[in-house]
Amino acid sequence: MSFQNPVFIPGPTNMPESIRKACDMPTIDHRSPLFGQILHPARANVQKVLKSANAEVFIFPSTGTGGWETAITNTLSAGDTVLAARNGMFSHRWIDMCQRHGLDVQIVETPWGHGLPANRYAEALAADKGHKIKAVLATHNETATGVKSDIAAVRAALDAADHPALLFVDGVSSIGSMDFRFDTWGVDIAVTGSQKGFMLPAGLAILGFSAKAMAATKTGRLPRTFFDVNDMAKGYDNSAFPYTPPVGLMNGLLLASDMLLREGLDNVFARHTRIASGIRAAVHAWGLELCAATPDLYSDTVSAIRTPAGFNATEIVNHAASAYGVAFGTGLGEVAGKVFRIGHLGSMTDVMALSGIATAEMCMVDLGLDIKLGSGVAAAQDHYRRTTGQALKDAA
Ligand SMILES: *Cc1c(COP(=O)(O)O)cnc(C)c1O
């Protein structure tokens, strides 16, 4: 592999030099006020990235998976029912975690490549007259299939049934890259990690809790120690963690969140949409299909691309690594061997995306797929020129 090429995996994402440097800190006393100068503004920034006025932001030394565990163990009790759709590997893993914690998961099986079926959530919630369902799980962006779901519709399903269940949203591959609205959507717990939209190394679970979720921590009985949000909140009151914080990563988070807010969240989202649209133009020029069933489901952070039947898509990923030193994502679970994935989130530009498209194209031609070298690149170039306004200038 090359250390020079950008990566096109949907996390960990490419790191800007400035963020890498911010993570490289001399040792400080993590119980001194110096740490508070990192901790407090970083939490305030994350709250803004979540588009929330009041969410309690918690940051643990962990990953997105630890964020899932933080959400369920702080608010629920063994035997509680949770409602969750399974439409890909990540929603599957969160369901599996709930089951291992003794929760009773009411699973809405959904074809991979489809979004969360808000209508089926609505039916299940309306049928639950006794309010056995304590939490609804929703994966905003299924990284395995490149499918974005409509969280506002899940909230509307809860409201239509006048159901008091908590709404937990996995935003690991969307927060900081795609529009996420904690307050507007009535999210109770949002979960993400450091190594996707925040462009950091892996190592932090990042969460927002609503007042209702905080209240549920008083009744939830699942065991938690390391991930106890009330212990963490007490630590924050003293500008500390209940244990040793990863100071360098926290300093990196402060800079990364500053960078996102300085670029402007709407500009960040528009950049991701523009880059993703170029990738999708290339996919269509190749004559291939996305795993996402319809255009409204297309993710702006990762594209899962179906290869022709009988062809093992993982070969593209292996060949890209060995021949060109470039990393793409493999298919996971049900779509293993059927799709390869291009991650296009975080620190990404149109020019970087073009190099990924060009590499994928070389690999597919090398492996004998009927694709014309340059076809995807040209389609993406055309999209990127038009959307910078260059094509308009040419025409004038
Ligand atoms: C990456 C990812 C996770 C898992 O996060 P880790 O940081 O690897 O633990 C969970 N959900 C989604 C949607 C993801 O993309």
Side-chain angles (χ1 to χ4, degrees):
M1 290 301 283
S2 157
F3 289 109
Q4 291 294 310
N5 292 328
V7 295
F8 296 96
I9 46 178
T13 61
N14 299 292
M15 285 186 278
E17 269 311 294
S18 55
I19 292 184
R20 286 184 56 194
K21 285 186 178 142
C23 294
D24 185 0
M25 288 268 294
T27 303
I28 62 163
D29 176 1
H30 61 279
R31 300 210 179 270
S32 74
L34 210 49
F35 182 60
Q37 293 171 22
I38 300 169
L39 171 69
H40 300 305
R43 290 180 66 225
N45 280 353
V46 169
Q47 193 187 55
K48 290 193 187 121
V49 172
L50 294 176
K51 290 198 178 166
S52 179
N54 297 307
E56 290 261 6
V57 171
F58 294 106
I59 301 157
F60 288 88
S62 186
T63 70
T65 305
W68 287 340
E69 189 156 328
T70 303
I72 63 174
T73 58
N74 276 278
T75 54
L76 302 172
S77 305
D80 279 356
T81 301
V82 304
L83 178 68
R86 173 156 51 203
N87 66 337
M89 201 60 188
F90 292 93
S91 42
H92 166 70
R93 285 189 187 147
W94 202 4
I95 288 169
D96 173 60
M97 174 187 279
C98 288
Q99 291 171 330
R100 293 201 219 178
H101 279 276
L103 299 171
D104 178 11
V105 188
Q106 196 172 321
I107 302 173
V108 180
E109 293 293 354
T110 307
W112 289 36
H114 289 239
L116 302 181
N119 56 336
R120 290 175 62 206
Y121 275 120
E123 281 163 23
L125 291 163
D128 180 36
K129 299 286 181 224
H131 297 163
K132 273 180 60 187
I133 296 168
K134 299 299 178 206
V136 173
L137 270 47
T139 301
H140 183 206
N141 190 71
E142 210 356 302
T143 317
T145 55
V147 164
K148 164 185 75 177
S149 284
D150 185 351
I151 303 302
V154 177
R155 165 47 64 195
L158 278 153
D159 291 349
D162 200 13
H163 200 292
L166 297 159
L167 174 58
F168 297 170
V169 183
D170 174 340
V172 180
S173 62
S174 59
I175 289 170
S177 313
M178 284 160 53
D179 197 9
F180 188 95
R181 306 181 180 201
F182 190 93
D183 287 357
T184 310
W185 295 342
V187 175
D188 289 301
I189 301 182
V191 177
T192 187
S194 49
Q195 79 278 22
K196 302 203 178 167
F198 285 108
M199 307 169 281
L200 286 159
L204 300 176
I206 300 166
L207 298 103
F209 271 54
S210 71
K212 189 170 153 190
M214 289 309 294
T217 66
K218 305 298 179 201
T219 52
R221 287 284 162 266
L222 280 179
R224 67 261 186 178
T225 48
F226 188 83
F227 290 124
D228 190 310
V229 292
N230 289 302
D231 288 352
M232 188 54 91
K234 272 189 221 133
Y236 292 164
D237 289 343
N238 296 312
S239 298
F241 275 29
Y243 31 72
T244 314
V247 174
L249 279 175
M250 291 297 294
N251 197 50
L253 178 62
L254 174 58
L255 178 64
S257 52
D258 261 339
M259 284 170 65
L260 290 172
L261 296 171
R262 256 185 282 131
E263 184 176 349
L265 290 179
D266 289 340
N267 296 329
V268 171
F269 304 149
R271 172 167 57 83
H272 281 82
T273 301
R274 178 170 172 271
I275 290 170
S277 302
I279 303 262
R280 294 191 282 259
V283 171
H284 293 132
W286 294 330
L288 298 178
E289 300 277 339
L290 288 156
C291 181
T294 51
D296 57 307
L297 300 174
Y298 292 165
S299 163
D300 283 342
T301 60
V302 54
S303 296
I305 300 155
R306 286 190 189 279
T307 51
F311 180 86
N312 178 6
T314 303
E315 280 188 36
I316 294 172
V317 180
N318 295 340
H319 184 69
S322 61
Y324 301 109
V326 169
F328 294 109
T330 57
L332 303 173
E334 272 186 29
V335 291
K338 296 183 181 150
V339 307
F340 74 102
R341 294 177 300 153
I342 302 182
H344 36 83
L345 74 161
S347 179
M348 183 63 60
T349 67
D350 45 10
V351 171
M352 289 161 84
L354 284 169
S355 73
I357 295 165
T359 308
E361 216 161 64
M362 289 193 285
C363 293
M364 290 189 285
V365 171
D366 292 349
L367 295 168
L369 286 184
D370 182 20
I371 277 166
K372 192 165 169 291
L373 216 48
S375 58
V377 171
Q381 286 171 322
D382 186 51
H383 175 75
Y384 295 141
R385 291 183 75 246
R386 271 191 290 110
T387 48
T388 53
Q390 186 58 46
L392 288 175
K393 283 180 212 145
D394 289 354

